[in-house]
Amino acid sequence: MKRFLIVLATGAALAAVNLPMAAAEPSHGSASGASGASGCSAPAVRAPAGTEVESVTALRQEGGTIHGTGVIGGTVDGVPAFCEVTATLTHPGDGDHAKVRTWLPVSGWNGRFQALGGSAFAAGDNGVGMGTAVKNGYAAATTDGGLADVVDVGWALNAAGEVDAGLLKNLASRSQHEAAVVGKQVVAAHFGEQASYSYFNGCSTGGRQGYMEAQRYPDDFDGILANAPAVSWDEFEVATLWPQVVMNNEKTYPSACEFKAFTDAAVAACDPLDGARDNLVNDASRCDFDPRRLIGTKVVCDGKELTVTAADAAVVRKIWDGPRTASGRRLWSGVPVGADLSGLAGTTTDTNGRAKGVPFRVPQLWATTWLKKQPSFDVSTITYDQFTRLFEQSRAEYGGVIGTDDPDLSAFRDSGGKLLTWHGQADQFIPAQGTVEYRRQVERKMGGTQRVDDFYRLFLAPGAIHCGLNKGVGTIDDLAALTAWVERGKAPRTLSATLVDATGRSVDRDVCRYPEVSRYRGHGDPAAASGFRCVLPSRH
């Protein structure tokens, strides 16, 4: 069996993962094969439905080190030479200009096509994922959707201060589909044959795009790898403002150090639930640690001794519990126990030494730009009642556009597609329970766990942060598992992973398929995968 070094990245840090590939790889794009394989020319591109092709260009790139653009950045080394084909599309009447980039390895094409998803408000990859795919023999494609970088949303409102519906639609659904259509055309024209298999690969926004592909364009891909997916976007984006709303309304702003004290205490209390002290919460939904247990505890932060107050504990309790209406109706799940609370509950002190909140930019921009339609709106003024109204407004205005939570995946199932997802149980930006709830909806719609497992599998990774197993904070064998499922019918029972526990130590673990959770066997090294097995939880 051949093994290739794959570097998966959606952030500034990278993780090297040895991914097994099929022993018999087809030979594609050799010098004796299609004439386009060793050249680099702009092919004719047929416009996808509803679009016009403005231009198609081609440029040979010598590879080497690819530096990711924008805020996320990152690098990938050892990228071989490739042909870059850029097709610019427009939607008549919308005035947009969406670029679809396709990278074609000059040699060593493995016969596969891989499309790369975006991050936050960026529709596509910044170059690191593309370089990684080409390095491992894939022809790869992505799209900018006519948009900008991850938190550059100057495109969102038009000159009249109204939401640009066309560009939002690009982000929500159509540009990723068009990248699949155009990318496959370019591959076929360049190599003289269609790709043997087509895959999608994304995390966060990219994960949501993967789910949208399965829901609306079920024939685009044979396999979809969609991790930490931002599904139910219209609801969870507002929900992730909740920690800031709580602190502002309670007038209490714990520091990152104080938040860490609560998290550490919860992990210590809930760690033994799997039968071993391995510094991982293997089933965060069962952890019911009460933050009031820390009231009166001394915490040393920046050399100062602080005492945890009842107000601090009340804030943490509300953040873990998640957003509710004034009558107590739950709107969404909270930050999971074990996750870094300062991700969404960021705080700082102003020049006068007064504490204040620092909201995470993505939900802040969603509220100010798409909901209030006032980019300068101060989210610190949002009351509990106003929060509920914003939540309902977002659901009403955008659920059908970018909700991405249609549980009917029958067309994707019938097309033979496979959907694979892992989500970190310590995800500090997108609570994993949202993905769990979507999976439950699919099960209710499509006949239960066993039938859904035939084409869609979810894995919950203990201790893993947002997209962290693709960012150097641990590793996971996800793309190899998907290709084995698609190409050899080998459905993954577990995903081999190296996780990082609460102390920063690396531990090997087989991540369990939902709804199973990891349990210690009662003997063996808690840092070794062999010490654990996957079992059904007492409740889920």
Side-chain angles (χ1 to χ4, degrees):
M1 177 176 290
K2 297 181 180 178
R3 300 185 73 85
F4 294 80
L5 183 67
I6 287 191
V7 182
L8 301 176
T10 53
L14 305 178
V17 186
N18 285 313
L19 299 183
M21 308 298 276
E25 290 288 343
S27 176
H28 296 266
S30 65
S32 61
S35 60
S38 58
C40 188
S41 58
V45 172
R46 299 185 307 277
T51 72
E52 293 179 358
V53 177
E54 294 187 312
S55 65
V56 181
T57 62
L59 179 67
R60 179 185 167 105
Q61 304 283 5
E62 294 308 316
T65 298
I66 300 294
H67 296 276
T69 60
V71 172
I72 291 179
T75 60
V76 56
D77 297 320
V79 178
F82 59 92
C83 176
E84 179 178 48
V85 175
T86 302
T88 302
L89 311 178
T90 188
H91 300 87
D94 287 348
D96 60 340
H97 308 281
K99 288 181 170 59
V100 176
R101 290 180 296 141
T102 306
W103 290 6
L104 308 138
V106 168
S107 63
W109 180 44
N110 64 16
R112 301 181 178 97
F113 170 75
Q114 183 181 154
L116 282 300
S119 303
F121 296 107
D125 183 68
N126 74 340
V128 174
M130 293 281 283
T132 298
V134 170
K135 179 176 178 177
N136 291 280
Y138 287 84
T142 197
T143 177
D144 67 3
L147 313 179
D149 198 20
V150 290
V151 290
D152 181 352
V153 298
W155 53 268
L157 303 178
N158 60 27
E162 301 167 334
V163 171
D164 191 315
L167 289 177
L168 179 59
K169 187 176 181 180
N170 284 0
L171 174 67
S173 58
R174 67 182 176 185
S175 282
Q176 198 58 245
H177 166 64
E178 290 159 3
V181 173
V182 170
K184 289 184 202 178
Q185 284 188 49
V186 172
V187 168
H190 182 79
F191 292 112
E193 59 181 305
Q194 301 282 348
S196 300
Y197 298 98
S198 296
Y199 295 95
F200 178 87
N201 189 350
C203 192
S204 193
T205 283
R208 184 199 62 77
Q209 291 168 324
Y211 275 68
M212 183 65 86
E213 281 289 309
Q215 292 166 20
R216 295 196 184 178
Y217 305 103
D219 298 319
D220 278 356
F221 298 103
D222 300 300
I224 293 174
L225 182 61
N227 301 323
V231 295
S232 302
W233 177 283
D234 56 308
E235 296 173 297
F236 106 84
E237 280 299 358
V238 183
T240 48
L241 261 184
W242 176 251
Q244 294 292 324
V245 173
V246 169
M247 292 190 298
N248 290 325
N249 281 268
E250 302 301 325
K251 309 300 183 189
T252 300
Y253 302 89
S255 67
C257 175
E258 291 170 288
F259 277 136
K260 186 177 184 301
F262 283 101
T263 300
D264 289 347
V267 171
C270 298
D271 179 13
L273 291 175
D274 65 357
R277 288 195 173 276
D278 58 349
N279 296 303
L280 288 171
V281 178
N282 287 278
D283 185 4
S285 66
R286 293 181 61 212
C287 183
D288 57 0
F289 176 78
D290 189 338
R292 290 176 295 189
R293 290 168 57 181
L294 260 64
I295 295 173
T297 300
K298 304 295 183 182
V299 179
V300 178
C301 297
D302 297 326
K304 299 179 181 179
E305 186 176 79
L306 305 175
T307 301
V308 175
T309 67
D312 295 330
V315 163
V316 171
R317 193 179 187 192
K318 280 180 175 287
I319 292 173
W320 277 343
D321 181 57
R324 293 180 182 270
T325 65
S327 63
R329 177 171 59 89
R330 180 182 295 279
L331 296 174
W332 201 253
S333 56
V335 176
V337 170
D340 181 0
L341 287 163
S342 64
L344 295 176
T347 60
T348 190
T349 53
D350 61 21
T351 55
N352 296 316
R354 292 175 299 199
K356 64 178 182 179
V358 180
F360 183 49
R361 290 282 285 160
V362 179
Q364 178 188 27
L365 289 169
W366 182 253
T368 60
T369 307
W370 279 272
L371 298 180
K372 300 300 291 187
K373 302 173 181 64
Q374 301 171 32
S376 62
F377 178 77
D378 183 359
V379 297
S380 71
T381 64
I382 297 173
T383 66
Y384 287 129
D385 285 343
Q386 289 170 338
F387 174 86
T388 298
R389 290 197 293 272
L390 286 173
F391 187 92
E392 299 296 347
Q393 176 195 347
S394 186
R395 176 189 284 163
E397 287 188 21
Y398 300 108
V401 178
I402 198 171
T404 322
D405 50 10
D406 181 357
D408 186 357
L409 298 179
S410 56
F412 181 72
R413 175 201 60 200
D414 295 345
S415 75
K418 307 299 181 188
L419 172 59
L420 180 64
T421 292
W422 63 259
H423 202 142
Q425 295 217 51
D427 193 316
Q428 71 275 39
F429 296 124
I430 302 179
Q433 281 303 117
T435 303
V436 169
E437 179 54 35
Y438 173 78
R439 163 73 194 215
R440 289 173 176 168
Q441 292 173 11
V442 175
E443 290 180 2
R444 289 193 290 269
K445 179 75 175 180
M446 302 189 64
T449 299
Q450 187 171 349
R451 289 186 178 180
V452 173
D453 272 349
D454 287 343
F455 68 94
Y456 167 29
R457 296 196 173 193
L458 169 64
F459 298 80
L460 299 179
I465 65 174
H466 184 60
C467 295
L469 301 181
N470 284 352
K471 286 186 177 178
V473 189
T475 59
I476 196 161
D477 217 7
D478 50 3
L479 187 57
L482 180 61
T483 57
W485 193 9
V486 169
E487 299 174 24
R488 304 199 300 276
K490 186 179 179 182
R493 296 178 59 85
T494 60
L495 292 182
S496 299
T498 298
L499 306 176
V500 178
D501 69 17
T503 70
R505 180 185 62 161
S506 293
V507 297
D508 292 331
R509 188 65 54 83
D510 291 330
V511 178
C512 300
R513 181 175 85 249
Y514 175 84
E516 293 182 336
V517 295
S518 189
R519 287 286 182 272
Y520 185 54
R521 294 181 182 274
H523 56 84
D525 184 358
S530 59
F532 292 80
R533 61 192 177 96
C534 294
V535 301
L536 288 173
S538 56
R539 67 175 188 271
H540 65 272

mmCIF file with all atom_site columns, all heavy atoms in Angstrom, residues 42 48 101 106 127 141-142 170 195 215 223 259 337 363 390 431 441 475 509 515 525 540:
data_model
loop_
_atom_site.group_PDB
_atom_site.id
_atom_site.type_symbol
_atom_site.label_atom_id
_atom_site.label_alt_id
_atom_site.label_comp_id
_atom_site.label_asym_id
_atom_site.label_entity_id
_atom_site.label_seq_id
_atom_site.pdbx_PDB_ins_code
_atom_site.Cartn_x
_atom_site.Cartn_y
_atom_site.Cartn_z
_atom_site.occupancy
_atom_site.B_iso_or_equiv
_atom_site.pdbx_formal_charge
_atom_site.auth_seq_id
_atom_site.auth_comp_id
_atom_site.auth_asym_id
_atom_site.auth_atom_id
_atom_site.pdbx_PDB_model_num
ATOM 1   N N   . ALA A 1 42  ? -5.710  27.620 -21.878 1.00 0.00 ? 42  ALA A N   1
ATOM 2   C CA  . ALA A 1 42  ? -7.060  27.944 -21.427 1.00 0.00 ? 42  ALA A CA  1
ATOM 3   C C   . ALA A 1 42  ? -8.078  27.176 -22.260 1.00 0.00 ? 42  ALA A C   1
ATOM 4   O O   . ALA A 1 42  ? -8.165  27.386 -23.475 1.00 0.00 ? 42  ALA A O   1
ATOM 5   C CB  . ALA A 1 42  ? -7.308  29.439 -21.537 1.00 0.00 ? 42  ALA A CB  1
ATOM 6   N N   . PRO A 1 48  ? -22.147 27.422 -16.619 1.00 0.00 ? 48  PRO A N   1
ATOM 7   C CA  . PRO A 1 48  ? -23.194 26.740 -15.860 1.00 0.00 ? 48  PRO A CA  1
ATOM 8   C C   . PRO A 1 48  ? -24.518 27.492 -15.993 1.00 0.00 ? 48  PRO A C   1
ATOM 9   O O   . PRO A 1 48  ? -24.547 28.692 -16.312 1.00 0.00 ? 48  PRO A O   1
ATOM 10  C CB  . PRO A 1 48  ? -22.668 26.786 -14.420 1.00 0.00 ? 48  PRO A CB  1
ATOM 11  C CG  . PRO A 1 48  ? -21.197 26.991 -14.551 1.00 0.00 ? 48  PRO A CG  1
ATOM 12  C CD  . PRO A 1 48  ? -21.025 27.841 -15.779 1.00 0.00 ? 48  PRO A CD  1
ATOM 13  N N   . ARG A 1 101 ? -10.910 28.964 -9.645  1.00 0.00 ? 101 ARG A N   1
ATOM 14  C CA  . ARG A 1 101 ? -9.524  28.567 -9.930  1.00 0.00 ? 101 ARG A CA  1
ATOM 15  C C   . ARG A 1 101 ? -9.427  27.047 -9.896  1.00 0.00 ? 101 ARG A C   1
ATOM 16  O O   . ARG A 1 101 ? -9.914  26.416 -8.961  1.00 0.00 ? 101 ARG A O   1
ATOM 17  C CB  . ARG A 1 101 ? -8.563  29.162 -8.900  1.00 0.00 ? 101 ARG A CB  1
ATOM 18  C CG  . ARG A 1 101 ? -8.379  30.661 -8.988  1.00 0.00 ? 101 ARG A CG  1
ATOM 19  C CD  . ARG A 1 101 ? -7.411  31.127 -7.905  1.00 0.00 ? 101 ARG A CD  1
ATOM 20  N NE  . ARG A 1 101 ? -7.936  30.899 -6.568  1.00 0.00 ? 101 ARG A NE  1
ATOM 21  C CZ  . ARG A 1 101 ? -7.210  30.499 -5.531  1.00 0.00 ? 101 ARG A CZ  1
ATOM 22  N NH1 . ARG A 1 101 ? -5.919  30.260 -5.674  1.00 0.00 ? 101 ARG A NH1 1
ATOM 23  N NH2 . ARG A 1 101 ? -7.770  30.332 -4.350  1.00 0.00 ? 101 ARG A NH2 1
ATOM 24  N N   . VAL A 1 106 ? 1.108   19.079 -13.105 1.00 0.00 ? 106 VAL A N   1
ATOM 25  C CA  . VAL A 1 106 ? 1.781   18.843 -14.377 1.00 0.00 ? 106 VAL A CA  1
ATOM 26  C C   . VAL A 1 106 ? 2.056   17.357 -14.568 1.00 0.00 ? 106 VAL A C   1
ATOM 27  O O   . VAL A 1 106 ? 2.004   16.840 -15.686 1.00 0.00 ? 106 VAL A O   1
ATOM 28  C CB  . VAL A 1 106 ? 3.081   19.673 -14.443 1.00 0.00 ? 106 VAL A CB  1
ATOM 29  C CG1 . VAL A 1 106 ? 3.955   19.243 -15.611 1.00 0.00 ? 106 VAL A CG1 1
ATOM 30  C CG2 . VAL A 1 106 ? 2.756   21.157 -14.547 1.00 0.00 ? 106 VAL A CG2 1
ATOM 31  N N   . GLY A 1 127 ? -5.506  29.083 -0.810  1.00 0.00 ? 127 GLY A N   1
ATOM 32  C CA  . GLY A 1 127 ? -4.337  28.567 -1.508  1.00 0.00 ? 127 GLY A CA  1
ATOM 33  C C   . GLY A 1 127 ? -3.656  27.414 -0.806  1.00 0.00 ? 127 GLY A C   1
ATOM 34  O O   . GLY A 1 127 ? -3.040  26.567 -1.456  1.00 0.00 ? 127 GLY A O   1
ATOM 35  N N   . ALA A 1 141 ? -10.062 22.560 -7.218  1.00 0.00 ? 141 ALA A N   1
ATOM 36  C CA  . ALA A 1 141 ? -10.767 23.772 -7.632  1.00 0.00 ? 141 ALA A CA  1
ATOM 37  C C   . ALA A 1 141 ? -11.355 24.473 -6.419  1.00 0.00 ? 141 ALA A C   1
ATOM 38  O O   . ALA A 1 141 ? -11.688 23.839 -5.408  1.00 0.00 ? 141 ALA A O   1
ATOM 39  C CB  . ALA A 1 141 ? -11.875 23.446 -8.637  1.00 0.00 ? 141 ALA A CB  1
ATOM 40  N N   . THR A 1 142 ? -11.477 25.787 -6.521  1.00 0.00 ? 142 THR A N   1
ATOM 41  C CA  . THR A 1 142 ? -12.151 26.578 -5.506  1.00 0.00 ? 142 THR A CA  1
ATOM 42  C C   . THR A 1 142 ? -12.698 27.832 -6.159  1.00 0.00 ? 142 THR A C   1
ATOM 43  O O   . THR A 1 142 ? -12.395 28.126 -7.322  1.00 0.00 ? 142 THR A O   1
ATOM 44  C CB  . THR A 1 142 ? -11.190 26.928 -4.345  1.00 0.00 ? 142 THR A CB  1
ATOM 45  O OG1 . THR A 1 142 ? -11.956 27.341 -3.209  1.00 0.00 ? 142 THR A OG1 1
ATOM 46  C CG2 . THR A 1 142 ? -10.219 28.032 -4.727  1.00 0.00 ? 142 THR A CG2 1
ATOM 47  N N   . ASN A 1 170 ? -24.276 33.652 -3.637  1.00 0.00 ? 170 ASN A N   1
ATOM 48  C CA  . ASN A 1 170 ? -22.999 33.049 -4.010  1.00 0.00 ? 170 ASN A CA  1
ATOM 49  C C   . ASN A 1 170 ? -22.355 32.352 -2.819  1.00 0.00 ? 170 ASN A C   1
ATOM 50  O O   . ASN A 1 170 ? -21.887 31.221 -2.916  1.00 0.00 ? 170 ASN A O   1
ATOM 51  C CB  . ASN A 1 170 ? -22.043 34.121 -4.547  1.00 0.00 ? 170 ASN A CB  1
ATOM 52  C CG  . ASN A 1 170 ? -22.374 34.549 -5.970  1.00 0.00 ? 170 ASN A CG  1
ATOM 53  O OD1 . ASN A 1 170 ? -23.325 34.058 -6.580  1.00 0.00 ? 170 ASN A OD1 1
ATOM 54  N ND2 . ASN A 1 170 ? -21.596 35.471 -6.495  1.00 0.00 ? 170 ASN A ND2 1
ATOM 55  N N   . ALA A 1 195 ? -12.428 13.017 -14.329 1.00 0.00 ? 195 ALA A N   1
ATOM 56  C CA  . ALA A 1 195 ? -11.882 12.497 -13.075 1.00 0.00 ? 195 ALA A CA  1
ATOM 57  C C   . ALA A 1 195 ? -12.603 11.207 -12.698 1.00 0.00 ? 195 ALA A C   1
ATOM 58  O O   . ALA A 1 195 ? -13.812 11.076 -12.901 1.00 0.00 ? 195 ALA A O   1
ATOM 59  C CB  . ALA A 1 195 ? -12.041 13.525 -11.964 1.00 0.00 ? 195 ALA A CB  1
ATOM 60  N N   . GLN A 1 215 ? -27.352 18.656 0.012   1.00 0.00 ? 215 GLN A N   1
ATOM 61  C CA  . GLN A 1 215 ? -28.779 18.960 0.061   1.00 0.00 ? 215 GLN A CA  1
ATOM 62  C C   . GLN A 1 215 ? -29.332 19.443 -1.285  1.00 0.00 ? 215 GLN A C   1
ATOM 63  O O   . GLN A 1 215 ? -30.422 19.039 -1.692  1.00 0.00 ? 215 GLN A O   1
ATOM 64  C CB  . GLN A 1 215 ? -29.034 20.014 1.137   1.00 0.00 ? 215 GLN A CB  1
ATOM 65  C CG  . GLN A 1 215 ? -28.789 19.521 2.553   1.00 0.00 ? 215 GLN A CG  1
ATOM 66  C CD  . GLN A 1 215 ? -28.707 20.634 3.580   1.00 0.00 ? 215 GLN A CD  1
ATOM 67  O OE1 . GLN A 1 215 ? -29.181 21.746 3.352   1.00 0.00 ? 215 GLN A OE1 1
ATOM 68  N NE2 . GLN A 1 215 ? -28.073 20.359 4.712   1.00 0.00 ? 215 GLN A NE2 1
ATOM 69  N N   . GLY A 1 223 ? -17.928 11.978 -2.873  1.00 0.00 ? 223 GLY A N   1
ATOM 70  C CA  . GLY A 1 223 ? -17.690 12.013 -1.436  1.00 0.00 ? 223 GLY A CA  1
ATOM 71  C C   . GLY A 1 223 ? -17.546 13.430 -0.942  1.00 0.00 ? 223 GLY A C   1
ATOM 72  O O   . GLY A 1 223 ? -16.922 14.268 -1.600  1.00 0.00 ? 223 GLY A O   1
ATOM 73  N N   . PHE A 1 259 ? -12.005 32.408 33.119  1.00 0.00 ? 259 PHE A N   1
ATOM 74  C CA  . PHE A 1 259 ? -12.774 31.439 32.333  1.00 0.00 ? 259 PHE A CA  1
ATOM 75  C C   . PHE A 1 259 ? -12.057 30.091 32.302  1.00 0.00 ? 259 PHE A C   1
ATOM 76  O O   . PHE A 1 259 ? -12.682 29.028 32.411  1.00 0.00 ? 259 PHE A O   1
ATOM 77  C CB  . PHE A 1 259 ? -12.972 31.945 30.903  1.00 0.00 ? 259 PHE A CB  1
ATOM 78  C CG  . PHE A 1 259 ? -14.124 32.901 30.741  1.00 0.00 ? 259 PHE A CG  1
ATOM 79  C CD1 . PHE A 1 259 ? -13.987 34.051 29.980  1.00 0.00 ? 259 PHE A CD1 1
ATOM 80  C CD2 . PHE A 1 259 ? -15.360 32.634 31.313  1.00 0.00 ? 259 PHE A CD2 1
ATOM 81  C CE1 . PHE A 1 259 ? -15.050 34.927 29.809  1.00 0.00 ? 259 PHE A CE1 1
ATOM 82  C CE2 . PHE A 1 259 ? -16.440 33.503 31.150  1.00 0.00 ? 259 PHE A CE2 1
ATOM 83  C CZ  . PHE A 1 259 ? -16.271 34.658 30.388  1.00 0.00 ? 259 PHE A CZ  1
ATOM 84  N N   . VAL A 1 337 ? -18.967 22.418 27.418  1.00 0.00 ? 337 VAL A N   1
ATOM 85  C CA  . VAL A 1 337 ? -18.050 22.289 28.549  1.00 0.00 ? 337 VAL A CA  1
ATOM 86  C C   . VAL A 1 337 ? -16.745 21.690 28.022  1.00 0.00 ? 337 VAL A C   1
ATOM 87  O O   . VAL A 1 337 ? -16.750 20.721 27.276  1.00 0.00 ? 337 VAL A O   1
ATOM 88  C CB  . VAL A 1 337 ? -18.659 21.392 29.637  1.00 0.00 ? 337 VAL A CB  1
ATOM 89  C CG1 . VAL A 1 337 ? -17.628 21.060 30.701  1.00 0.00 ? 337 VAL A CG1 1
ATOM 90  C CG2 . VAL A 1 337 ? -19.867 22.071 30.253  1.00 0.00 ? 337 VAL A CG2 1
ATOM 91  N N   . PRO A 1 363 ? -20.044 36.334 14.209  1.00 0.00 ? 363 PRO A N   1
ATOM 92  C CA  . PRO A 1 363 ? -21.422 36.645 14.611  1.00 0.00 ? 363 PRO A CA  1
ATOM 93  C C   . PRO A 1 363 ? -21.673 38.139 14.763  1.00 0.00 ? 363 PRO A C   1
ATOM 94  O O   . PRO A 1 363 ? -22.782 38.614 14.518  1.00 0.00 ? 363 PRO A O   1
ATOM 95  C CB  . PRO A 1 363 ? -21.594 35.904 15.938  1.00 0.00 ? 363 PRO A CB  1
ATOM 96  C CG  . PRO A 1 363 ? -20.209 35.691 16.445  1.00 0.00 ? 363 PRO A CG  1
ATOM 97  C CD  . PRO A 1 363 ? -19.355 35.514 15.232  1.00 0.00 ? 363 PRO A CD  1
ATOM 98  N N   . LEU A 1 390 ? -33.667 39.335 17.376  1.00 0.00 ? 390 LEU A N   1
ATOM 99  C CA  . LEU A 1 390 ? -32.671 39.164 16.315  1.00 0.00 ? 390 LEU A CA  1
ATOM 100 C C   . LEU A 1 390 ? -32.585 37.704 15.881  1.00 0.00 ? 390 LEU A C   1
ATOM 101 O O   . LEU A 1 390 ? -32.443 37.410 14.681  1.00 0.00 ? 390 LEU A O   1
ATOM 102 C CB  . LEU A 1 390 ? -31.303 39.647 16.791  1.00 0.00 ? 390 LEU A CB  1
ATOM 103 C CG  . LEU A 1 390 ? -31.109 41.160 16.902  1.00 0.00 ? 390 LEU A CG  1
ATOM 104 C CD1 . LEU A 1 390 ? -29.769 41.467 17.557  1.00 0.00 ? 390 LEU A CD1 1
ATOM 105 C CD2 . LEU A 1 390 ? -31.192 41.830 15.525  1.00 0.00 ? 390 LEU A CD2 1
ATOM 106 N N   . PRO A 1 431 ? -20.788 25.161 18.325  1.00 0.00 ? 431 PRO A N   1
ATOM 107 C CA  . PRO A 1 431 ? -21.102 24.042 19.224  1.00 0.00 ? 431 PRO A CA  1
ATOM 108 C C   . PRO A 1 431 ? -21.451 22.776 18.444  1.00 0.00 ? 431 PRO A C   1
ATOM 109 O O   . PRO A 1 431 ? -22.281 22.803 17.526  1.00 0.00 ? 431 PRO A O   1
ATOM 110 C CB  . PRO A 1 431 ? -22.302 24.551 20.021  1.00 0.00 ? 431 PRO A CB  1
ATOM 111 C CG  . PRO A 1 431 ? -22.193 26.049 19.966  1.00 0.00 ? 431 PRO A CG  1
ATOM 112 C CD  . PRO A 1 431 ? -21.623 26.348 18.604  1.00 0.00 ? 431 PRO A CD  1
ATOM 113 N N   . GLN A 1 441 ? -32.189 14.972 13.052  1.00 0.00 ? 441 GLN A N   1
ATOM 114 C CA  . GLN A 1 441 ? -33.273 15.312 12.136  1.00 0.00 ? 441 GLN A CA  1
ATOM 115 C C   . GLN A 1 441 ? -33.223 14.439 10.887  1.00 0.00 ? 441 GLN A C   1
ATOM 116 O O   . GLN A 1 441 ? -34.261 13.994 10.382  1.00 0.00 ? 441 GLN A O   1
ATOM 117 C CB  . GLN A 1 441 ? -33.200 16.792 11.770  1.00 0.00 ? 441 GLN A CB  1
ATOM 118 C CG  . GLN A 1 441 ? -33.499 17.748 12.908  1.00 0.00 ? 441 GLN A CG  1
ATOM 119 C CD  . GLN A 1 441 ? -33.242 19.188 12.538  1.00 0.00 ? 441 GLN A CD  1
ATOM 120 O OE1 . GLN A 1 441 ? -33.032 19.526 11.377  1.00 0.00 ? 441 GLN A OE1 1
ATOM 121 N NE2 . GLN A 1 441 ? -33.211 20.058 13.536  1.00 0.00 ? 441 GLN A NE2 1
ATOM 122 N N   . THR A 1 475 ? -4.324  15.421 14.915  1.00 0.00 ? 475 THR A N   1
ATOM 123 C CA  . THR A 1 475 ? -4.500  15.024 13.518  1.00 0.00 ? 475 THR A CA  1
ATOM 124 C C   . THR A 1 475 ? -5.603  13.987 13.426  1.00 0.00 ? 475 THR A C   1
ATOM 125 O O   . THR A 1 475 ? -5.975  13.361 14.422  1.00 0.00 ? 475 THR A O   1
ATOM 126 C CB  . THR A 1 475 ? -3.210  14.418 12.941  1.00 0.00 ? 475 THR A CB  1
ATOM 127 O OG1 . THR A 1 475 ? -2.849  13.263 13.725  1.00 0.00 ? 475 THR A OG1 1
ATOM 128 C CG2 . THR A 1 475 ? -2.063  15.414 12.962  1.00 0.00 ? 475 THR A CG2 1
ATOM 129 N N   . ARG A 1 509 ? -6.253  8.006  19.756  1.00 0.00 ? 509 ARG A N   1
ATOM 130 C CA  . ARG A 1 509 ? -7.632  7.604  20.048  1.00 0.00 ? 509 ARG A CA  1
ATOM 131 C C   . ARG A 1 509 ? -8.347  7.277  18.739  1.00 0.00 ? 509 ARG A C   1
ATOM 132 O O   . ARG A 1 509 ? -8.127  7.946  17.726  1.00 0.00 ? 509 ARG A O   1
ATOM 133 C CB  . ARG A 1 509 ? -8.371  8.736  20.771  1.00 0.00 ? 509 ARG A CB  1
ATOM 134 C CG  . ARG A 1 509 ? -9.762  8.380  21.298  1.00 0.00 ? 509 ARG A CG  1
ATOM 135 C CD  . ARG A 1 509 ? -9.707  7.321  22.379  1.00 0.00 ? 509 ARG A CD  1
ATOM 136 N NE  . ARG A 1 509 ? -8.819  7.687  23.468  1.00 0.00 ? 509 ARG A NE  1
ATOM 137 C CZ  . ARG A 1 509 ? -9.161  8.479  24.482  1.00 0.00 ? 509 ARG A CZ  1
ATOM 138 N NH1 . ARG A 1 509 ? -10.362 8.994  24.554  1.00 0.00 ? 509 ARG A NH1 1
ATOM 139 N NH2 . ARG A 1 509 ? -8.284  8.734  25.438  1.00 0.00 ? 509 ARG A NH2 1
ATOM 140 N N   . PRO A 1 515 ? -23.897 7.433  17.356  1.00 0.00 ? 515 PRO A N   1
ATOM 141 C CA  . PRO A 1 515 ? -23.976 8.014  18.697  1.00 0.00 ? 515 PRO A CA  1
ATOM 142 C C   . PRO A 1 515 ? -23.034 7.378  19.728  1.00 0.00 ? 515 PRO A C   1
ATOM 143 O O   . PRO A 1 515 ? -23.168 7.643  20.920  1.00 0.00 ? 515 PRO A O   1
ATOM 144 C CB  . PRO A 1 515 ? -25.428 7.752  19.075  1.00 0.00 ? 515 PRO A CB  1
ATOM 145 C CG  . PRO A 1 515 ? -25.734 6.432  18.426  1.00 0.00 ? 515 PRO A CG  1
ATOM 146 C CD  . PRO A 1 515 ? -24.984 6.459  17.113  1.00 0.00 ? 515 PRO A CD  1
ATOM 147 N N   . ASP A 1 525 ? -2.773  1.648  28.674  1.00 0.00 ? 525 ASP A N   1
ATOM 148 C CA  . ASP A 1 525 ? -2.340  3.037  28.719  1.00 0.00 ? 525 ASP A CA  1
ATOM 149 C C   . ASP A 1 525 ? -3.476  3.953  28.265  1.00 0.00 ? 525 ASP A C   1
ATOM 150 O O   . ASP A 1 525 ? -3.958  3.829  27.136  1.00 0.00 ? 525 ASP A O   1
ATOM 151 C CB  . ASP A 1 525 ? -1.124  3.215  27.800  1.00 0.00 ? 525 ASP A CB  1
ATOM 152 C CG  . ASP A 1 525 ? -0.548  4.620  27.850  1.00 0.00 ? 525 ASP A CG  1
ATOM 153 O OD1 . ASP A 1 525 ? -1.110  5.477  28.567  1.00 0.00 ? 525 ASP A OD1 1
ATOM 154 O OD2 . ASP A 1 525 ? 0.457   4.861  27.150  1.00 0.00 ? 525 ASP A OD2 1
ATOM 155 N N   . HIS A 1 540 ? -28.386 9.730  24.949  1.00 0.00 ? 540 HIS A N   1
ATOM 156 C CA  . HIS A 1 540 ? -27.850 10.592 23.914  1.00 0.00 ? 540 HIS A CA  1
ATOM 157 C C   . HIS A 1 540 ? -28.997 11.295 23.194  1.00 0.00 ? 540 HIS A C   1
ATOM 158 O O   . HIS A 1 540 ? -30.136 10.900 23.303  1.00 0.00 ? 540 HIS A O   1
ATOM 159 C CB  . HIS A 1 540 ? -26.996 9.827  22.907  1.00 0.00 ? 540 HIS A CB  1
ATOM 160 C CG  . HIS A 1 540 ? -27.748 8.811  22.092  1.00 0.00 ? 540 HIS A CG  1
ATOM 161 N ND1 . HIS A 1 540 ? -27.920 7.524  22.518  1.00 0.00 ? 540 HIS A ND1 1
ATOM 162 C CD2 . HIS A 1 540 ? -28.386 8.912  20.895  1.00 0.00 ? 540 HIS A CD2 1
ATOM 163 C CE1 . HIS A 1 540 ? -28.611 6.842  21.609  1.00 0.00 ? 540 HIS A CE1 1
ATOM 164 N NE2 . HIS A 1 540 ? -28.914 7.667  20.633  1.00 0.00 ? 540 HIS A NE2 1
#
